[in-house]
């Protein structure tokens, strides 16, 4: 969820029923070198809790130091990424690569668990290659090292997001462990969540891409509410998301960052395709809002209601770091 799970996304998830939200993955190297943008990911709002902050890296000592900062920032849980399949991460020895280096993976988990007082979890893929079962061997070692829960996305790193998640592996991992296992991958509806929970014995499910531009999926999974949002509701939620993201990242960064969200929100037949393409070409978020309100005039009243109901970000834990604007821009 890199480039997606900003604070505005997480707060929205909590509002729609998510029991736990997680940051996008944070580079331990960036934390070590006090990179301003990286440190911006450690801003935590009071209404995000419970919140996990996810870190990635390959050096146990650096990971332990980063975990201490995550705890100081106010996270309720530190999550370690052993699942990212992206080349720029795996080539550094981080992410899914660590599933092929179980000794180092265990040392990382042990170092992090020994450095913090909050729970430690690990997000994994099945392994690097298609058909790999590395997660079944590595998982128990991570628990022995101090992980208190594991999340499994049973695709290989090579698969990226193609094909289907093989949750028979999730069931096998559950059988091998005495700690909670969270099932991730292809959780897009209440029916699918119920099936995965029933067939795997997992303690919970994790929703990622299914909630991109579609927070209503979370409400449907949690409460069983299947009503498709109206055009006005979609526009209102997107406008609120835009405003929250601008507050977090600043107009310059937010205007580019948000473009992918327009397609996610306005797709699924909610708005005509040319309208989505039109918004991507607009230069400012203010103009995007104006065009959304012109396309769905009833959204204006809904936006006012949402802004009255949704609490302000509240007091954040401010570390003694050089973060010049909100979000570390």
């Amino acid at each position: 969820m890199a480039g997606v799970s900003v604070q505005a996304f997480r707060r929205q998830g909590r509002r729609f029923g998510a029991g736990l939200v997680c940051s996008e993955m944070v580079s331990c190297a960036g934390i070590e070198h006090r990179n301003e943008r990286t440190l911006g990911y450690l801003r935590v709002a009071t209404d995000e809790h419970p919140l996990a902050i996810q870190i990635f890296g390959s050096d146990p000592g650096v990971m332990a130091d980063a975990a201490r900062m995550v705890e100081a920032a106010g996270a309720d849980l530190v999550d370690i990424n052993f699942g990212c399949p992206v080349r720029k991460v795996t080539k550094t020895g981080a992410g899914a690569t660590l599933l092929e280096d179980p000794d180092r993976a265990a040392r990382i988990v042990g170092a992090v668990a020994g450095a913090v007082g909050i729970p430690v979890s690990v997000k994994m893929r099945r392994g690097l290659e298609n058909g790999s079962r590395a997660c079944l061997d590595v998982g128990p070692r991570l628990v022995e090292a101090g992980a208190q829960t594991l999340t499994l996305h049973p695709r290989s790193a090579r698969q990226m997001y193609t094909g289907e998640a093989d949750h028979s592996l999730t069931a096998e991992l559950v059988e091998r462990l005495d700690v909670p296992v969270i099932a991730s991958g292809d959780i897009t509806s209440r029916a699918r969540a119920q099936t995965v929970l029933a067939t795997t014995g997992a303690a919970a499910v994790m929703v990622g891409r299914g909630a991109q531009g579609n927070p209503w999926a979370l409400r449907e999974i949690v409460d069983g509410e299947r009503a498709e949002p109206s055009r006005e509701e979609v526009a209102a939620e997107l406008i609120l998301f835009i405003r929250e993201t601008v507050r977090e990242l600043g107009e310059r960064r937010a205007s580019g960052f948000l473009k992918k969200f327009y397609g996610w929100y306005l797709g699924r037949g909610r708005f005509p395709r040319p309208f989505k393409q039109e918004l991507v070409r607009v230069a400012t978020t203010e103009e995007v809002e104006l065009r959304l309100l012109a396309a769905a005039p009833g959204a204006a009243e809904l936006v006012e209601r949402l802004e009255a109901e949704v609490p302000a970000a509240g007091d954040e834990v401010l570390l003694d770091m050089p973060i010049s604007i909100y979000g570390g821009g």
Side-chain angles (χ1 to χ4, degrees), residues 210-243:
Q212 291 175 345
N214 193 31
W216 298 273
L218 298 175
R219 183 171 291 165
E220 191 261 332
I221 290 170
V222 174
D223 297 329
E225 295 183 19
R226 297 197 58 177
E228 180 66 19
S230 67
R231 180 174 288 191
E232 288 73 22
E233 288 173 315
V234 172
E237 281 294 339
L238 178 52
I239 288 171
L240 181 63
F241 187 83
I242 289 169
R243 292 179 181 179

Side-chain angles (χ1 to χ4, degrees), residues 156-173:
S156 69
R158 183 176 294 278
Q159 274 184 278
M160 298 292 285
Y161 298 99
T162 63
E164 294 183 357
D166 180 6
H167 282 293
S168 66
L169 273 178
T170 310
E172 289 190 61
L173 186 63

